[in-house]
Amino acid sequence: MKKWVSIVATASMAAGMLSACAGGGGTAEPDAPKGDGGSPTAPAADGGPKEQTYSMLVESHASWPYDENWVVWDYLKEKTGATFKVQTPSGEIEDALSLTVASGEMPDIMYTLDKKLADKYGMQGALVNILDYVDRMPNFKAWMEKYPTETAGAIAADGKMYIFPNEGISETNRNIWMYRQDIFEKHGLTAPTNYDELYATLKELKAQYPDSYPFAFRFGKGLQILRNLSANFGTNEDFYLDIETNEWKYGPIEEEYKTLLGWLNKFYKEGLMPPDWLTVDVKQWQDLVSTNRTFVTVDYIGRIDNFNIPLRKDNPEFNMAFMAPPAGAPGGKQQNPYTHFKISGMMVASTSDKIEDIMKVMDYYFSEEGKELLSWGKEGETFKTEGGKKSFIETYADVGDLRKKTGLGTNGAYTWFDYDSHLSLASPELQGAYAEARKYDMPLDPEPPMDEAETETMATTYQAILKHREENVSKFILGERDLAQWDAFVEEQKGLGIDKVLETYKAAYDRMQANGAK
């Protein structure tokens, strides 16, 4: 289950939040900025922004490790007066957060990859309720009104907000189907539009390339691939909200899910996907694709350039292209799950003595000016505008190179992001793929925040269901358990407490819809 929201529900919720904030905190201060993106802090004696140093704990990404000399920090200081004294953990950020919160000696700002941790620590009293400061954050308040879905997704079970939401940069997480267009054209094949056509196409490719596994992926572990494929059959790989009926359901016991497993079992038995599909890692998958042994795959959309650019050096014809998702029959749809969202963000420690100033700085992150600065940098220095279109002045090899050299789009240095900055570094083919992919988006699945009792249910009952499901679904695909035993499997799953988890999701979702700001 990932994240979601029905537009109507979130719009009304956001309105409630803003109304409650206004009611609780009175009107905005007379001298507060009006959302024009100006300097968010009180002016210093020389007329510039008030200079202040804030301690911050963030994850340092292996591909673009934190650098105190990144130009993005200079830009932020110039606009907000903020200097960040950054701490990066040697291990996992989750472990560092746990130790830091437990110690009571927290930095002013902390970054988490998991909103559930923000909710947990916030409800324990370790974090500031951001909604208490909305009346003094005109840019953020306007942002909340513009993005009610993202706003609602940042709310905890108690109706408070302990993590700053984000928007824009999550486009990088978009998953799509891809195919080797050059190989298809060579053999007179067309991209399949349903699973019958997919099967026939994979069979033909197997005949042409006997040592190949025409369909391969690297999402076998934990059966992650079923999130993508179940969408083609109009179901889900987990508990989900049926938007049409507004009912919570459980996909893995539905007939459509059984049909999907039947197809995968067929692909497996006939050598159309790797025998070790459950454990194929990134390198193995890349090797299959790059050596003409895999021609259809599912992965992050950016893989189009990741494959095409380097592999065309030796094979100019190589062309990994966007493929519309095939519809699973019967009643399936050509659609991809909504994977382009982020659950990470910044939190403010309740022990900080600089909370008011931090909120003013964060408000700048949500201004139009801040969005441009933290996405593109400074005009004339990092980017230029010609004919109304922005482009970077320096030539960057890719987005990773941009991040490594400037810090733009790195943890702690963005919330609201203009993804066009990253797309400007993409090939025309990848840019076109983004435009096409949006036509096949499913709605965002909801993931309502859980209270303590509900979290316990998920840690026990849900985990038992998940363990049993993963074991048996794998067996169905591998042929170690016959699909004739499907009804028995459904009863086994129900016996582990499906109804209890459905009730848990429904209660959490209903509360989320009813919850206003507190």
Side-chain angles (χ1 to χ4, degrees):
M1 261 291 306
K2 308 306 176 220
K3 246 173 120 165
W4 115 110
V5 194
S6 120
I7 296 299
V8 173
T10 50
S12 61
M13 172 183 270
M17 291 174 192
L18 296 178
S19 174
C21 289
T27 58
E29 297 173 5
D31 58 349
K34 304 302 180 183
D36 59 0
S39 174
T41 56
D46 62 0
K50 172 185 174 183
E51 293 194 1
Q52 182 76 276
T53 298
Y54 309 99
S55 54
M56 180 164 65
L57 173 67
V58 298
E59 180 195 46
S60 180
H61 198 286
S63 297
W64 41 87
Y66 164 76
D67 187 343
E68 64 180 342
N69 296 312
W70 277 335
V71 70
V72 70
W73 304 126
D74 296 331
Y75 291 159
L76 276 168
K77 183 176 181 179
E78 179 183 330
K79 288 295 182 180
T80 70
T83 295
F84 296 102
K85 185 178 180 182
V86 174
Q87 309 163 29
T88 59
S90 57
E92 299 296 327
I93 186 69
E94 294 88 349
D95 296 334
L97 284 170
S98 177
L99 291 171
T100 300
V101 172
S103 74
E105 297 180 1
M106 296 177 285
D108 299 309
I109 302 168
M110 295 173 284
Y111 184 89
T112 179
L113 297 171
D114 187 353
K115 178 195 173 272
K116 291 178 182 177
L117 287 180
D119 293 351
K120 173 184 174 182
Y121 297 140
M123 288 189 285
Q124 289 175 355
L127 304 176
V128 170
N129 175 21
I130 297 164
L131 296 178
D132 287 342
Y133 297 85
V134 169
D135 277 339
R136 284 157 283 181
M137 302 175 73
N139 294 306
F140 183 47
K141 189 170 186 178
W143 186 95
M144 290 172 66
E145 293 170 342
K146 185 172 184 177
Y147 295 103
T149 297
E150 288 77 6
T151 297
I155 302 299
D158 60 359
K160 299 179 181 181
M161 181 187 289
Y162 302 110
I163 185 172
F164 281 104
N166 63 78
E167 193 280 330
I169 206 167
S170 55
E171 275 288 332
T172 191
N173 293 329
R174 183 181 288 276
N175 280 193
I176 63 165
W177 285 73
M178 292 169 271
Y179 76 115
R180 280 288 301 280
Q181 188 174 28
D182 56 317
I183 295 295
F184 273 55
E185 291 176 351
K186 178 179 178 180
H187 299 289
L189 301 172
T190 57
T193 61
N194 57 54
Y195 273 65
D196 289 307
E197 294 175 6
L198 176 62
Y199 172 69
T201 300
L202 297 179
K203 287 285 285 183
E204 177 60 26
L205 288 166
K206 183 74 174 180
Q208 295 288 343
Y209 303 87
D211 295 331
S212 73
Y213 300 105
F215 177 47
F217 42 83
R218 63 182 182 92
F219 294 146
K221 184 178 180 181
L223 301 176
Q224 298 172 69
I225 188 65
L226 296 183
R227 181 182 182 199
N228 302 85
L229 308 189
S230 61
N232 309 146
F233 290 78
T235 182
N236 194 287
E237 95 285 14
D238 206 354
F239 291 88
Y240 71 102
L241 180 70
D242 185 324
I243 300 299
E244 295 181 2
T245 64
N246 203 38
E247 292 181 78
W248 281 91
K249 296 181 178 180
Y250 181 58
I253 61 173
E254 296 177 336
E255 282 298 310
E256 295 85 354
Y257 194 89
K258 176 186 176 183
T259 302
L260 165 59
L261 299 189
W263 277 113
L264 293 179
N265 173 250
K266 193 171 188 176
F267 293 171
Y268 173 77
K269 287 192 301 184
E270 298 186 24
L272 305 181
M273 54 193 252
D276 57 347
W277 62 273
L278 275 167
T279 58
V280 169
D281 61 22
V282 176
K283 185 180 185 305
Q284 292 170 318
W285 170 70
Q286 289 175 331
D287 288 345
L288 287 169
V289 173
S290 63
T291 57
N292 289 346
R293 288 182 292 156
T294 286
F295 313 104
V296 179
T297 190
V298 177
D299 210 276
Y300 292 113
I301 191 170
R303 294 291 183 177
I304 288 177
D305 276 1
N306 292 161
F307 282 124
N308 288 343
I309 293 174
L311 294 176
R312 282 176 182 169
K313 293 176 181 177
D314 294 324
N315 177 11
E317 301 301 316
F318 188 99
N319 188 20
M320 182 65 77
F322 169 83
M323 186 178 102
K333 298 178 181 180
Q334 286 189 278
Q335 58 186 10
N336 287 318
Y338 199 108
T339 60
H340 37 292
F341 61 88
K342 285 182 74 69
I343 56 173
S344 57
M346 290 184 279
M347 311 168 291
V348 181
S350 60
T351 54
S352 174
D353 59 359
K354 304 171 183 176
I355 294 173
E356 292 278 356
D357 287 336
I358 291 171
M359 293 301 174
K360 292 173 184 176
V361 171
M362 292 306 303
D363 191 53
Y364 180 77
Y365 277 58
F366 289 94
S367 68
E368 290 283 356
E369 180 183 305
K371 175 186 178 183
E372 179 179 88
L373 183 75
L374 299 178
S375 306
W376 291 94
K378 185 183 292 187
E379 187 162 16
E381 291 187 14
T382 56
F383 80 94
K384 59 186 177 181
T385 304
E386 295 177 343
K389 187 175 181 179
K390 297 186 183 74
S391 63
F392 286 107
I393 294 172
E394 183 176 338
T395 299
Y396 298 104
D398 51 29
V399 171
D401 189 37
L402 167 70
R403 284 168 156 160
K404 191 180 299 183
K405 291 178 177 176
T406 67
L408 294 169
T410 59
N411 295 338
Y414 73 87
T415 52
W416 193 15
F417 196 82
D418 181 2
Y419 198 69
D420 282 348
S421 67
H422 283 184
L423 278 181
S424 72
L425 301 175
S427 69
E429 292 152 304
L430 180 53
Q431 293 177 4
Y434 270 98
E436 283 298 307
R438 295 184 180 110
K439 300 175 184 177
Y440 300 94
D441 283 346
M442 289 182 67
L444 182 61
D445 284 340
E447 187 172 339
M450 305 283 185
D451 62 22
E452 188 173 349
E454 292 160 349
T455 299
E456 178 63 22
T457 296
M458 297 303 290
T460 53
T461 305
Y462 173 77
Q463 287 301 318
I465 293 170
L466 177 62
K467 184 173 185 284
H468 177 270
R469 180 178 86 210
E470 289 185 354
E471 290 175 355
N472 286 275
V473 167
S474 298
K475 289 179 180 179
F476 282 132
I477 296 173
L478 295 170
E480 296 173 1
R481 185 172 186 181
D482 198 297
L483 274 169
Q485 298 180 32
W486 177 257
D487 290 344
F489 164 74
V490 170
E491 291 306 313
E492 290 162 10
Q493 285 271 280
K494 288 181 177 179
L496 291 170
I498 287 176
D499 285 345
K500 182 177 182 180
V501 177
L502 285 171
E503 291 169 3
T504 298
Y505 270 111
K506 183 180 185 304
Y509 181 68
D510 289 348
R511 181 183 60 247
M512 181 184 68
Q513 290 184 302
N515 241 341
K518 294 182 180 179

